Amino acid sequence: MAINIVTDETDPDGWPIRYVSLTPDVTRGALAEWARTQPDDLAVHVLAEEGGLSATEIVDVLEPQVGSVEVRITDTDA
C-alpha cells in the first residue's frame, strides 16, 4: 500500500500543490489518515492506478481536508 508524494510545487500565486500517486491497495482509511496530516490550503493532484479507489471515493475522502483535489485514474493495461 503506497501513497507516494511525486513532487511538491507552488502555483504562480504561491498556493502549494502536491502531486501524489496511489497504488490500488490504498484504503479509504489510509487515505483519510494521510489527508489529516496535509495543510488545509493544499491542492492535491492524484494519479491513481485502476483497480483501487474510484475518483469519487478519492475526492470524498480528500476534499474535506485539503483546499482542492484533482484525480486521474490510469489504465494499467495501456
Side-chain angles (χ1 to χ4, degrees), residues 22-39:
L22 304 180
T23 57
D25 55 350
V26 170
T27 64
R28 287 178 66 102
L31 187 58
E33 185 176 322
W34 177 84
R36 284 190 288 277
T37 67
Q38 304 307 302

Side-chain angles (χ1 to χ4, degrees), residues 19-55:
Y19 293 87
V20 300
S21 65
L22 304 180
T23 57
D25 55 350
V26 170
T27 64
R28 287 178 66 102
L31 187 58
E33 185 176 322
W34 177 84
R36 284 190 288 277
T37 67
Q38 304 307 302
D40 61 1
D41 63 345
L42 184 67
V44 179
H45 294 245
V46 179
L47 181 62
E49 294 178 27
E50 187 176 50
L53 295 173
S54 70

Side-chain angles (χ1 to χ4, degrees), residues 1-77:
M1 178 170 61
I3 302 169
N4 299 305
I5 296 174
V6 176
T7 188
D8 286 327
E9 295 181 7
T10 304
D11 77 5
D13 295 322
W15 293 99
I17 304 169
R18 179 157 291 153
Y19 293 87
V20 300
S21 65
L22 304 180
T23 57
D25 55 350
V26 170
T27 64
R28 287 178 66 102
L31 187 58
E33 185 176 322
W34 177 84
R36 284 190 288 277
T37 67
Q38 304 307 302
D40 61 1
D41 63 345
L42 184 67
V44 179
H45 294 245
V46 179
L47 181 62
E49 294 178 27
E50 187 176 50
L53 295 173
S54 70
T56 301
E57 289 174 305
I58 293 168
V59 169
D60 287 349
V61 170
L62 293 180
E63 206 166 54
Q65 300 294 322
V66 299
S68 67
V69 179
E70 288 189 28
V71 179
R72 182 171 161 219
I73 305 294
T74 61
D75 182 357
T76 54
D77 293 332

